[in-house]
Amino acid sequence: MTHHMRDEITQTVKKIKSMEIRGAANIGRYAAAALKAYTINCDARSRDEFVRGLEEAGETLIDARPTAVSLPNAVKFVLRRVRDSDLSLEGLKELAVRSADAFIENSRQAVRTIGEIGAKRISDGDTIMTHCNSSVALSVIKTAFSQGKDIRVIASEARPRYQGRITVKQLAEAGVPVTLIVDSAVRSFMKDVDKVVVGADSIAANGAVINKIGTSQIALAAHEARVLFFVAAETYKFHPDTLVGELVEIEERDKKEVADPGEFSGVDIRNPAFDITPPEYVDLIITEKGVIPPQAAIMIIKEEFGWI
Ligand code: RI2
């Protein structure tokens, strides 16, 4: 096994890199599912061999994309339980499967709970702006709508990958009135907006929010217009390493996603996938544990990841 990575891991890594599997919550759940599949198919003959293989599989998954901390947090959720146990090989494998299932189920439940908690902050008549395609932000919006609140959404397209188009289709399917705009139109439309609701790929100990490129200029426009800016994120989106001063790595993707370099010789094309919204521009972070100001991010990290 140590000589080649098993198929279930390489396939998942490939799909995360190509963004066939995307969205921070989804990436974490698929990583847990890949570790489960790895465990079920693993033919290790000793505890040590199994743990070493699982660690290696975890490292390979973590390397797929650098910014969404849901990915390493999902892997660590499973690995920590396995490492801390003194069960025999079979018991250990069952524990790995149970832990992966628990992460996936906790994640689904967290997204539903955030929908319920966040919907309380949405009022009848609100116009909400969102960016990219966040399943957690959409959980808030759809829950408020299903409660009968008369709301409408303005969604920016999120160049270069256009995940905003997924958002508007999902909202239209749910019956939510929705308007699609280009990213550069967000400030023009801010006068019509009551609240911004976005997701997160990572949240730092100081409450800074790392999310799809363009989020921070929406936050800036919201701040200028005194529009509330909400972030919907599960506690496994909080980044434990930032507690000791590590910076969150911003993924820079292939320049071909922006333009064909062949048509632009002599031009430097850049494609950062995420940006950082400072905590001063964030009004509330909606988690499954409750609503917190960005300044309380450090408490979530200490509570959730004190074991690191
Ligand atoms: P949920 C996405 O990243 C977007 O940045 C989105 O806001 C964030 O993940 C969170 O998504 P990408 O994978 O976990 O599209 O809320 O680069 O679904």
Side-chain angles (χ1 to χ4, degrees):
M1 142 63 225
T2 41
H3 301 298
H4 67 285
M5 196 43 71
R6 309 273 308 230
D7 219 33
E8 53 271 17
I9 302 297
T10 46
Q11 283 306 317
T12 301
V13 166
K14 216 172 127 194
K15 287 179 185 169
I16 292 174
K17 278 185 195 286
S18 69
M19 293 177 70
E20 188 180 323
I21 296 171
R22 55 146 295 278
N26 223 17
I27 289 172
R29 288 196 293 260
Y30 272 94
L35 290 179
K36 174 179 169 175
Y38 171 85
T39 301
I40 291 169
N41 297 328
C42 178
D43 52 14
R45 274 164 311 217
S46 71
R47 272 179 50 98
D48 281 0
E49 196 188 336
F50 169 61
V51 175
R52 267 203 315 277
L54 196 68
E55 281 172 341
E56 203 181 319
E59 287 303 320
T60 309
L61 285 164
I62 288 173
D63 287 345
R65 282 184 84 189
T67 305
V69 74
S70 46
L71 174 57
N73 281 348
V75 169
K76 287 178 194 167
F77 183 95
V78 176
L79 272 177
R80 174 169 67 105
R81 284 161 176 77
V82 169
R83 278 199 202 104
D84 285 355
S85 156
D86 47 20
L87 286 168
S88 66
L89 176 60
E90 276 318 299
L92 214 52
K93 286 173 79 174
E94 279 167 28
L95 178 65
V97 168
R98 265 204 318 279
S99 304
D101 283 339
F103 182 86
I104 294 166
E105 184 43 39
N106 290 350
S107 163
R108 294 214 171 98
Q109 184 54 49
V111 176
R112 285 192 291 266
T113 304
I114 290 171
E116 298 290 329
I117 296 174
K120 293 186 185 146
R121 305 288 171 149
I122 306 297
S123 310
D124 203 40
D126 273 354
T127 295
I128 299 161
M129 183 176 278
T130 192
H131 183 53
C132 195
N133 178 247
S134 158
S135 59
V136 190
L138 288 183
S139 177
V140 172
I141 292 168
K142 283 188 192 171
T143 305
F145 184 75
S146 70
Q147 291 170 346
K149 287 174 183 163
D150 173 23
I151 57 174
R152 51 198 58 248
V153 175
I154 298 174
S156 40
E157 60 185 359
R159 274 237 344 131
R161 303 280 303 218
Y162 297 104
Q163 294 97 319
R165 293 179 179 178
I166 305 172
T167 291
V168 294
K169 283 187 180 157
Q170 289 172 342
L171 288 172
E173 241 165 66
V176 182
V178 60
T179 304
L180 177 67
I181 61 170
V182 298
D183 298 315
S184 45
V186 295
R187 186 164 176 253
S188 292
F189 279 88
M190 197 54 80
K191 62 180 182 329
D192 303 328
V193 175
D194 299 289
K195 280 150 199 166
V196 177
V197 183
V198 295
D201 292 81
S202 281
I203 297 176
N206 68 348
V209 172
I210 295 89
N211 192 47
K212 184 55 55 196
I213 191 81
T215 302
S216 72
Q217 61 193 15
I218 298 178
L220 188 60
H223 187 74
E224 176 195 46
R226 306 275 189 271
V227 167
L228 291 169
F229 188 91
F230 295 165
V231 177
E234 315 85 298
T235 50
Y236 60 80
K237 305 268 180 70
F238 289 70
H239 204 309
D241 298 353
T242 60
L243 203 55
V244 288
E246 291 285 335
L247 299 177
V248 177
E249 185 183 336
I250 303 294
E251 176 184 18
E252 178 123 10
R253 296 186 60 83
D254 196 327
K255 57 184 79 169
K256 292 196 196 89
E257 289 183 348
V258 176
D260 176 4
E263 290 177 25
F264 294 92
S265 67
V267 177
D268 178 31
I269 300 171
R270 297 287 307 272
N271 186 19
F274 302 97
D275 66 18
I276 304 169
T277 299
E280 304 86 78
Y281 297 160
V282 177
D283 289 285
L284 291 174
I285 303 174
I286 306 157
T287 82
E288 75 277 18
K289 301 267 166 81
V291 169
I292 60 162
Q295 292 75 17
I298 193 165
M299 288 167 61
I300 296 275
I301 296 179
K302 280 188 175 163
E303 198 179 299
E304 292 294 309
F305 306 104
W307 43 270
I308 281 179

